[in-house]
Amino acid sequence: MIQVASIGYPRIGPKRELKKALEQFWKGEIQEQDLHNVAKNLRKQNWQTQKSAGVDLISSNDFSFYDQVLDAICLLGAVPKRYKWDGQEVNLTTYFAMARGSQTADLDVPALEMTKWFDTNYHYLVPELSAEQTFKLSSNKPFEEYEEAKQAGFDTKPIILGPLTFLLLAKGIDGFNTINLLDKILPIYKQIVEKFSQLGAEWIQIDEPILVKDLDSNVVSKIKDTLNQIKGAAGNCKILLATYFEDLNEDVKNQVFESNVDVVHLDLVRGSKNKEYVKNSNKKLSLGLVDGRNVWKTNLQEKINFIKDNISNDVIIASSCPLLHSPYDLELEQKVPVEIKRWLSFAKQKLLELNVIKGFINEGSHQEALDNNAADIHDRETSKLIHDNAVKDRIKTINKSITERKSSYVDRAKIQKNIFSLPKYPTTTIGSFPQTTDVRQARAKFKRGELDETSYEKFLEEKTIDTIRKQESIGIDVIVHGEFERNDMVEYFGEQLKGFTFTSSGFVQSYGSRCVKPPIIFGNVSRPKPMTVRWSKFAQEQTKQIVKGMLTGPITILQWSFVRDDQPRKFTAQEIGFAIRDEVEDLEKNGIRMIQIDEPALREGLPLKKKDWKDYLSWSVDCFKISAAVVKDETQIHTHMCYAEFEDIIDSIAALDADVISIETSRSRMELLTTFEKFKYPNEVGPGVYDIHSPRVPSQDEMKILIEKASKLIDPSRIWVNPDCGLKTRGWPETIDALTKMVNAAKELRVS
Ligand code: GLN
Ligand code: ZN
């Protein structure tokens, strides 16, 4: 017999109701009780959706006001001292202070650090743990939600973030190894499962996605005992251990399978080893068959065959990972063309897919749904919309003549130094300038048809000219056009490329109340016509100084989209690489002499397991080079990366062979540059000298000190001076002030 489990459902609301309520609450427009009411309704709606979709194991405690890791911090009483927590049940004020910082008379503190959740675009708040850390059950949220569901008529399976993932994702203060806290934290976990058992829960789901990573043998040796201790305290409750995002290494698998947990959930969409473990496993499994991170319909017959071939006993089926990473409901979708819509499946549809598999295997029902699914799958496979042979042929031509610049960096640099004759410590910015309300309003009006194209273009031209004049008068050496025509650095390109489509409803949570609506790459990608030439050319015509062209790189476009799953990501990235290459070539032809190709997402695309890094880095670096290497030696290629930890991948950064790279360094006070120094990074570097995430304007001296610090690590003849990232979220007054000080700092150092 087959049962269906929901291992986590999205929480932001089908119409982003939670986002709206949170933002109103933060502005003081609604009361705490109103916020709770919205949340309660959403939870009920989610449970109802799961029940109607035939889910047997309905999830609770997958709801969160901000983030599930933050919820775990509260549950375990691991609130850092600076939030002045009173030690009682953690209230919403303390909760949101950790999430967003607080600037009240009582509490003036920054938020907890935030970082990406595994290799997804979801961000979690990073727990901070010290050697003296103590833990104490400090939140009733999971229990209250369980009871709330029960009262509403739903018997749920609460989801708790597991101790190993919690500890290993935490930051140990002063380099403290957080796994050492395992013995201290386990008693709280035991208390939690005991309490659920008293409340009468049949199932508890413990989430341990960290188990898919490469773990130290010290950690591996603790897995079985940890799980057994939790199971031991759970009374009559069954424990479902959820692992996801990749397969388990053999050593981890052995520990997990030998433990006493009742069911192990495996991601069967990513990685290949998990499929092997399914065969002749004597552990009861939950099979993650339906892709929880992408938007494509599942080939149901294929999954049914897989189950029939491999499973003889009872089994649970589920999505590969929590559906937090899927949009809500395809029925709400209004923008995707109908031909493509029939290929898609959002969270609700994914549960229905599982129900069809269950129905067919358990009782031979759902034949019609199965036939429809087969027809949709066939339609997609054979669609003319997807296949473009010219593009497929083009990626077969990749060789050194496409990926390599004509001359080495050393030779190019000589030529470029001569023709550009820039001063020492040349100044520039990363591309965007403030996207003020007037810019966003004009774009919205244009999209709604309330502003005609000529007037909109005129508006953008004026903005661009004004921004160029401002840069000239500040004294910036290499100018940018400001990116006013762009809504978003991926969407802007996706909208102009073949093979992309966009949704009206495909939101997924990025962090807190922030959602993103990734484009969908459904077919072979190509560039029908120039995308940015019009604006770069226009900008260059307005000034005698050099204007840098601005493009988003292939890996970032790939990483921030829903990518087709019917060919390797590598091929899709190569296609995008060629599309950008065509654009680079056209920019050069139109007199643009410096071109920046942004790759802020290169680092985050790194696979979860080290063994897969080399392959990823090799093709992703090549894709960047496909887009860049078409230019003459005289044309200078820049790239930009932010929020990056480069230590592990510095050789790949060097292999990009960009003439100049600008990076985020100011928050780490140039620490990052030591990596560049140690590696003897050969090309030019623009270490960010001020943080653009905050409105604070640093002093000229502060920036001067940072440039001096950088000059000790990198030869000053190869240093550029720029902010950390684009300025689109900033206001004009602080931008002008900060850039003026930045330019003056560089000027001061030129003469000294
Ligand atoms: N050129 C982009 C900008 O300035 C880069 C943004 C980014 O790195 N995230 O906005
Ligand atoms: Zn950036």
Side-chain angles (χ1 to χ4, degrees):
M1 281 302 265
I2 291 192
Q3 284 187 303
V4 172
S6 153
I7 60 161
Y9 207 65
R11 55 202 172 208
I12 203 78
K15 301 204 167 121
R16 288 178 297 154
E17 292 87 341
L18 181 60
K19 171 197 176 65
K20 287 163 203 160
L22 281 168
E23 288 171 3
Q24 282 177 319
F25 175 69
W26 293 332
K27 281 192 215 139
E29 293 167 6
I30 60 169
Q31 299 303 308
E32 184 164 333
Q33 196 49 50
D34 305 320
L35 179 62
H36 280 296
N37 290 341
V38 171
K40 204 169 167 180
N41 281 332
L42 283 174
R43 289 192 290 261
K44 191 164 173 192
Q45 205 179 320
N46 276 359
W47 292 323
Q48 190 56 57
T49 306
Q50 293 173 50
K51 189 163 188 177
S52 312
V55 172
D56 302 291
L57 279 61
I58 295 172
S59 51
S60 63
N61 201 38
D62 47 357
F63 178 82
S64 176
F65 275 128
Y66 207 94
D67 164 43
Q68 70 272 10
V69 182
L70 180 60
D71 293 349
I73 293 174
C74 299
L75 182 63
L76 300 160
V79 179
K81 279 209 182 69
R82 64 175 181 279
Y83 297 101
K84 299 188 182 155
W85 172 46
D86 61 8
Q88 304 299 307
E89 170 155 19
V90 180
N91 61 25
L92 267 194
T93 310
T94 306
Y95 183 86
F96 286 132
M98 285 190 277
R100 316 174 62 233
S102 161
Q103 270 194 322
T104 61
D106 303 333
L107 193 62
D108 190 358
V109 280
L112 287 173
E113 214 175 278
M114 191 166 67
T115 194
K116 299 229 171 193
W117 176 243
F118 296 85
D119 60 348
T120 73
N121 216 346
Y122 176 81
H123 303 68
Y124 71 95
L125 290 157
V126 183
E128 289 170 22
L129 305 176
S130 67
E132 301 77 43
Q133 191 71 46
T134 54
F135 299 101
K136 176 176 138 243
L137 190 58
S138 302
S139 156
N140 278 314
K141 175 183 178 291
F143 315 111
E144 281 167 7
E145 278 179 27
Y146 173 78
E147 301 257 59
E148 180 185 309
K150 209 170 193 180
Q151 267 161 31
F154 306 95
D155 222 333
T156 57
K157 163 181 61 59
I159 301 177
I160 302 288
L161 185 66
L164 297 167
T165 303
F166 181 80
L167 292 177
L168 292 170
L169 291 185
K171 191 165 101 176
I173 294 165
D174 299 328
F176 166 70
N177 189 353
T178 52
I179 196 70
N180 294 339
L181 293 169
L182 188 57
D183 289 339
K184 275 197 188 169
I185 212 171
L186 269 174
I188 319 298
Y189 275 91
K190 289 188 197 165
Q191 249 175 295
I192 295 167
V193 294
E194 249 164 48
K195 199 157 171 180
F196 275 124
S197 138
Q198 282 157 16
L199 293 175
E202 187 189 349
W203 285 97
I204 302 171
Q205 175 176 326
I206 303 287
D207 273 12
E208 289 286 19
I210 202 78
L211 296 180
V212 308
K213 301 254 293 182
D214 300 309
L215 300 172
D216 285 353
S217 55
N218 170 43
V219 173
V220 175
S221 68
K222 295 181 181 356
I223 296 173
K224 184 170 148 189
D225 178 58
T226 301
L227 296 174
N228 285 350
Q229 288 203 42
I230 295 175
K231 171 65 189 167
N236 291 330
C237 281
K238 286 181 261 184
I239 301 283
L240 185 152
L241 174 77
T243 69
Y244 42 84
F245 295 147
E246 253 292 337
D247 48 24
L248 298 177
N249 283 336
E250 193 95 30
D251 52 353
V252 174
K253 187 267 298 183
N254 291 338
Q255 288 266 325
V256 166
F257 277 32
E258 284 167 20
S259 78
N260 297 333
V261 298
D262 299 272
V263 174
V264 178
H265 174 85
L266 299 174
D267 187 326
L268 294 174
V269 172
R270 295 212 164 187
S272 52
K273 276 197 200 152
N274 275 352
K275 288 206 180 86
E276 295 300 312
Y277 304 153
V278 171
K279 284 184 193 145
N280 43 50
S281 142
N282 37 27
K283 192 88 192 161
K284 180 163 173 180
L285 297 175
S286 160
L287 309 178
L289 292 173
V290 167
D291 195 344
R293 297 178 57 164
N294 212 334
V295 291
W296 306 105
K297 248 181 201 165
T298 310
N299 183 335
L300 297 179
Q301 191 58 53
E302 205 180 275
K303 305 298 171 189
I304 289 170
N305 295 345
F306 176 82
I307 296 172
K308 288 190 166 162
D309 291 346
N310 292 289
I311 305 281
S312 46
N313 305 328
D314 286 354
V315 76
I316 290 176
I317 58 172
S319 56
S320 59
C321 65
L323 293 170
L324 176 64
H325 313 286
S326 281
Y328 259 85
D329 184 359
L330 193 63
E331 280 167 31
L332 302 173
E333 178 52 39
Q334 289 171 349
K335 191 165 168 191
V336 168
V338 279
E339 306 92 291
I340 296 176
K341 196 172 169 185
R342 70 182 285 198
W343 306 337
L344 303 180
S345 166
F346 291 176
K348 186 171 150 193
Q349 288 69 37
K350 288 173 193 287
L351 295 182
L352 293 166
E353 291 180 336
L354 291 163
N355 194 39
V356 173
I357 299 177
K358 173 176 89 168
F360 185 79
I361 296 189
N362 284 357
E363 53 203 44
S365 61
H366 292 87
Q367 186 62 52
E368 194 186 332
L370 210 52
D371 292 344
N372 289 341
N373 174 268
D376 291 338
I377 298 291
H378 179 76
D379 182 72
R380 179 174 168 216
E381 275 167 7
T382 53
S383 168
K384 294 224 163 44
L385 291 173
I386 291 188
H387 302 282
D388 184 335
N389 286 330
V391 178
K392 290 189 199 180
D393 289 343
R394 198 172 177 198
I395 69 167
K396 290 185 198 138
T397 66
I398 299 172
N399 61 30
K400 286 238 172 331
S401 76
I402 287 179
T403 56
E404 303 308 310
R405 295 284 297 265
K406 315 226 157 24
S407 312
S408 71
Y409 167 71
V410 179
D411 293 337
R412 299 190 315 256
K414 272 184 218 142
I415 300 172
Q416 291 169 10
K417 284 248 161 25
N418 250 325
I419 57 170
F420 294 133
S421 53
L422 291 165
K424 190 177 171 188
Y425 297 123
T427 53
T428 190
T429 64
I430 307 305
S432 59
F433 269 90
Q435 290 248 338
T436 40
T437 323
D438 57 330
V439 179
R440 277 181 275 121
Q441 271 171 358
R443 185 183 309 127
K445 276 193 186 162
F446 171 62
K447 284 205 167 156
R448 286 198 300 263
E450 292 162 21
L451 188 67
D452 64 73
E453 187 161 351
T454 325
S455 319
Y456 179 55
E457 297 245 319
K458 178 116 193 34
F459 169 82
L460 292 176
E461 286 186 354
E462 280 162 14
K463 275 276 156 194
T464 308
I465 294 174
D466 181 54
T467 302
I468 290 172
R469 295 292 164 260
K470 284 187 169 112
Q471 294 171 78
E472 286 172 341
S473 72
I474 294 170
I476 293 182
D477 300 302
V478 171
I479 287 187
V480 298
H481 76 283
E483 302 181 17
F484 298 106
E485 75 288 7
R486 303 184 189 177
N487 35 4
D488 168 273
M489 66 185 292
V490 170
E491 196 172 313
Y492 183 74
F493 290 91
E495 278 173 346
Q496 303 185 72
L497 291 168
K498 242 182 96 184
F500 280 73
T501 192
F502 294 84
T503 67
S504 63
S505 67
F507 288 101
V508 286
Q509 191 177 12
S510 171
Y511 63 89
S513 67
R514 282 282 291 263
C515 300
V516 292
K517 195 153 56 71
I520 297 175
I521 307 177
F522 65 88
N524 294 127
V525 176
S526 61
R527 186 205 66 149
K529 55 179 202 291
M531 303 183 283
T532 65
V533 172
R534 186 246 183 268
W535 287 109
S536 289
K537 196 169 162 221
F538 172 81
Q540 186 61 84
E541 283 160 4
Q542 311 306 315
T543 177
K544 289 202 179 59
Q545 283 174 248
I546 292 175
V547 173
K548 191 161 60 159
M550 280 297 151
L551 303 173
T552 303
I555 303 304
T556 300
I557 294 180
L558 183 85
Q559 200 60 32
W560 292 350
S561 302
F562 286 120
V563 181
R564 58 190 295 191
D565 60 352
D566 55 349
Q567 70 175 27
R569 287 169 77 81
K570 169 180 168 178
F571 293 167
T572 307
Q574 289 169 338
E575 294 170 11
I576 306 170
F578 273 113
I580 301 297
R581 179 184 182 91
D582 292 345
E583 186 68 13
V584 167
E585 197 173 9
D586 275 335
L587 283 171
E588 185 182 58
K589 270 191 205 142
N590 282 279
I592 304 303
R593 303 161 69 197
M594 291 187 187
I595 300 168
Q596 178 171 311
I597 307 172
D598 291 325
E599 283 290 23
L602 184 87
R603 172 68 176 76
E604 78 183 48
L606 212 54
L608 294 174
K609 291 211 174 61
K610 265 208 161 134
K611 69 168 174 47
D612 302 322
W613 283 19
K614 209 170 144 211
D615 181 51
Y616 164 78
L617 287 168
S618 140
W619 62 255
S620 60
V621 165
D622 269 355
C623 286
F624 178 88
K625 289 162 73 179
I626 290 169
S627 56
V630 65
V631 294
K632 295 181 284 196
D633 289 345
E634 288 80 356
T635 302
Q636 190 169 67
I637 295 288
H638 291 229
T639 188
H640 164 72
M641 283 174 205
C642 35
Y643 11 82
E645 291 155 18
F646 286 127
E647 251 165 71
D648 300 321
I649 61 161
I650 183 75
D651 45 348
S652 301
I653 304 289
L656 295 173
D657 198 26
D659 297 301
V660 184
I661 179 171
S662 59
I663 46 170
E664 177 182 317
T665 40
S666 80
R667 278 190 289 190
S668 74
R669 303 202 50 82
M670 300 285 158
E671 269 165 36
L672 184 63
L673 275 190
T674 51
T675 306
F676 282 72
E677 188 218 3
K678 269 195 238 143
F679 179 78
K680 305 219 179 320
Y681 182 78
N683 304 11
E684 291 166 50
V685 189
V689 296
Y690 80 89
D691 177 14
I692 57 89
H693 299 90
S694 124
R696 180 174 173 274
V697 176
S699 70
Q700 186 172 321
D701 249 16
E702 261 175 74
M703 291 194 257
K704 199 181 110 189
I705 291 168
L706 286 182
I707 304 169
E708 282 171 330
K709 208 167 160 187
S711 306
K712 296 212 172 73
L713 300 165
I714 305 270
D715 186 309
S717 69
R718 292 190 286 115
I719 292 181
W720 286 64
V721 172
N722 45 256
D724 261 348
C725 190
L727 298 161
K728 78 185 210 192
T729 56
R730 297 272 60 89
W732 270 112
E734 78 227 29
T735 297
I736 292 180
D737 195 6
L739 290 178
T740 306
K741 288 178 172 141
M742 181 187 92
V743 167
N744 289 340
K747 282 186 179 160
E748 226 186 289
L749 285 168
R750 277 173 202 162
V751 292
S752 66

